[in-house]
Amino acid sequence: GDSVTQTEGQVALSEEDFLTIHCNYSASGYPTLFWYVQYPGEGPQLLFRASRDKEKGSSRGFEATYDKGTTSFHLRKASVQESDSAVYYCALSPDSNYQLIWGSGTKLIIKP
Amino acid sequence: DPKIIQKPKYLVAVTGSEKILICEQYLGHNAMYWYRQSAKKPLEFMFSYSYQKLMDNQTASSRFQPQSSKKNHLDLQITALKPDDSATYFCASSQDSGNTLYFGEGSRLIVV
């Protein structure tokens, strides 16, 4: 079945560090890929999405590129801030399906 | 103003009792969902509804029953509550299948 794998359960960085959170997926065809962010006490909210191979999604300095060849959608940010502390979820939507397939989430901790 | 309203925000219930979690969305969306989040499972899909019809059910227990009285309304009835049901329950909606999910702020349930 379809699946999403986030290898890092937690990432701890200092302000202005470079961030990479890895996301690999397994699905047939061209699923839509998403990054969601969840701040403490809130529901997840969309960061951005991508639907085609080589498409780049970006928002708030975060970006990820849909790579069908490596089945990846890694999240990157050049310089993190304390306000980026949150849990980040990678997810995919198979064609015309109501259920998103979610990764296990990566908790980002920014040390001041 | 929040576009997805969940009530109550916090709830303490006694083991064996029954509770209803309320969700209304004002985004004009056709699909609504329930998710559960606990320490054991980061984000767990429960149900999806489209045009008030059940599309997918990933909840093994019949103690969890969604109820849709209107297209923008999807409540969750939980009967015979157990301490393991303690979690934050998130309602979400989307325009249609495969689209971006918008989440409410959650209802935090503690069963004692």
Side-chain angles (χ1 to χ4, degrees), chain B residues 13-14 16-20 77-81:
Chain B
V14 175
S17 66
E18 171 183 315
K19 294 295 177 187
I20 295 179
Q77 180 185 41
I78 314 173
T79 58
L81 279 162

Side-chain angles (χ1 to χ4, degrees), chain A residues 41-85:
Chain A
E42 299 182 12
Q45 55 183 276
L46 179 72
L47 201 50
F48 53 79
R49 56 187 279 176
S51 303
R52 302 180 306 275
D53 190 22
K54 307 305 180 200
E55 181 179 354
K56 179 190 280 189
S58 65
S59 174
R60 312 180 209 176
F62 292 91
E63 62 178 39
T65 300
Y66 193 133
D67 190 331
K68 186 167 174 63
T70 58
T71 59
S72 67
F73 193 53
H74 303 319
L75 181 68
R76 295 187 167 93
K77 187 175 185 182
S79 176
V80 294
Q81 304 300 314
E82 194 173 353
S83 58
D84 294 327
S85 297

